[in-house]
Amino acid sequence: MMILARVLLLLALLTSVNSFHASYHHLQRDASPTFLKLSGGDAAVPELKAPLALYEGAVDLGVKKASFSFDKIFKLAIVSGAHIGFGAYLALTVGGACFGIATDNPGLQKMILGAFGLPFGLLMTIVTGGELFTGNTALVTAAVMEGKSSWKDLVKSWSASFTGNFVGSILLAYLAFQSGTLGNGPAAVAIATGKCSLSWQTAFVRGLLCNWLIGMSVYMASGCASIAGKTIAVWFPVSAFVALGLDNSVANMFLIPLGMMRGAQVTIPQFLLKNLIPVTLGNIVGGAICAMAPFGLTHGKWFNTKSPSK
């Protein structure tokens, strides 16, 4: 009897183990791929929008910016002018102080000047929803050309952001001058003098090329969902325009007045007529035509009444 009981117990154990093993494999085979996914939320936002969605999103952002009041744009633009000023301030402090590198390896010095400074200034503006004239030349223009905003809105956006950027840049230039952190470094004076020694045509072309890159930076960043994506979209084009020696009107609103405060032999008329005006006009062409028009003509309905491409 004892032997029979032991045999029966062993058979029961083997049957239980086999049943558990079969059930385990059955669960594995039938498990849904979504078993471990969270439910109840919306579909994941793509890290980077597809080209058509990228353009449409940029237009929508331009419409939103164009709808703001003059007062709101002006206030946000003051902060953005200071943001860009901080970027230029850092560039002068780091890249502008690499005298030995500038002599031995000027290419490396330009890379340092571009990488440390203005990219973080633009990133602060984009992440915080600021108003930057150079970016608005691209985004708000697209909104107008798609018929979703008016030319009156464009004039309001451009004028409010330009004047606000100017106020913020001048304010930060004064604070940077008063801080004394640049010491006796000659970079601010040299940059201001050099920028106001350009011919009108050269300043215009440098402004055009600069905002072609800035417009692309703002455009690409508008289609990125994460801070990492926006950082990459901003960093490379902005560091490139600085390293190439191009001109941004908002950055120059900080750089040239700061150089003048530090002793640059530049008058206010020279600042305005030989640099700020031609660079600003170049920025408008670069942002509206070079950066945005190609996508408006292919994905949108610029200059025609046909439906956008799908």
Side-chain angles (χ1 to χ4, degrees):
M1 292 294 295
M2 291 293 295
I3 294 174
L4 179 60
R6 290 177 180 176
V7 170
L8 291 174
L9 179 61
L10 179 61
L11 288 173
L13 287 173
L14 289 173
T15 302
S16 298
V17 170
N18 185 60
S19 176
F20 174 79
H21 188 263
S23 298
Y24 174 76
H25 281 284
H26 178 73
L27 286 174
Q28 278 193 320
R29 183 176 65 253
D30 293 343
S32 170
T34 60
F35 181 72
L36 296 177
K37 289 185 179 179
L38 297 175
S39 61
D42 296 330
V45 177
E47 173 59 35
L48 178 63
K49 294 179 180 178
L52 177 58
L54 174 61
Y55 176 73
E56 292 173 342
V59 171
D60 290 341
L61 180 57
V63 172
K64 180 180 178 181
K65 286 179 171 294
S67 70
F68 292 159
S69 66
F70 186 98
D71 185 59
K72 181 175 183 177
I73 297 171
F74 179 75
K75 290 175 181 177
L76 290 172
I78 291 175
V79 180
S80 294
H83 288 164
I84 299 302
F86 268 117
Y89 189 9
L90 178 61
L92 285 174
T93 303
V94 180
C98 298
F99 309 117
I101 297 177
T103 301
D104 299 333
N105 193 338
L108 177 59
Q109 188 271 336
K110 290 179 180 179
M111 289 180 62
I112 296 172
L113 185 69
F116 294 95
L118 282 168
F120 103 86
L122 181 57
L123 187 63
M124 286 194 291
T125 287
I126 289 175
V127 171
T128 59
E131 289 291 324
L132 193 65
F133 168 75
T134 45
N136 287 349
T137 62
L139 297 176
V140 179
T141 300
V144 172
M145 295 302 294
E146 292 297 329
K148 297 184 177 182
S149 298
S150 68
W151 288 102
K152 182 179 178 180
D153 288 331
L154 182 142
V155 172
K156 174 191 64 180
S157 172
W158 286 11
S159 59
S161 58
F162 187 87
T163 53
N165 290 164
F166 192 87
V167 171
S169 297
I170 292 290
L171 174 61
L172 196 77
Y174 177 74
L175 293 174
F177 174 68
Q178 291 294 328
S179 73
T181 57
L182 294 174
N184 296 322
V189 172
I191 288 174
T193 303
K195 287 182 178 294
C196 291
S197 300
L198 302 174
S199 68
W200 202 96
Q201 178 180 335
T202 299
F204 174 84
V205 172
R206 290 187 182 185
L208 182 156
L209 293 172
C210 169
N211 216 37
W212 191 342
L213 291 173
I214 294 294
M216 288 303 303
S217 178
V218 171
Y219 180 61
M220 292 189 296
S222 71
C224 296
S226 69
I227 185 65
K230 292 181 185 296
T231 299
I232 293 171
V234 165
W235 209 275
F236 289 100
V238 176
S239 61
F241 103 70
V242 178
L244 290 169
L246 305 177
D247 276 65
N248 179 279
S249 57
V250 181
N252 287 358
M253 292 172 187
F254 170 86
L255 290 167
I256 297 176
L258 177 62
M260 293 166 65
M261 294 175 197
R262 290 175 60 84
Q265 298 301 303
V266 174
T267 65
I268 293 176
Q270 287 175 326
F271 165 42
L272 298 176
L273 299 176
K274 298 202 68 175
N275 186 273
L276 191 58
I277 291 176
V279 167
T280 298
L281 294 175
N283 285 168
I284 291 172
V285 175
I289 304 301
C290 298
M292 288 305 299
F295 304 107
L297 291 168
T298 53
H299 300 310
K301 55 182 181 181
W302 288 37
F303 307 115
N304 64 64
T305 57
K306 296 179 181 179
S307 299
S309 62
K310 296 295 183 183

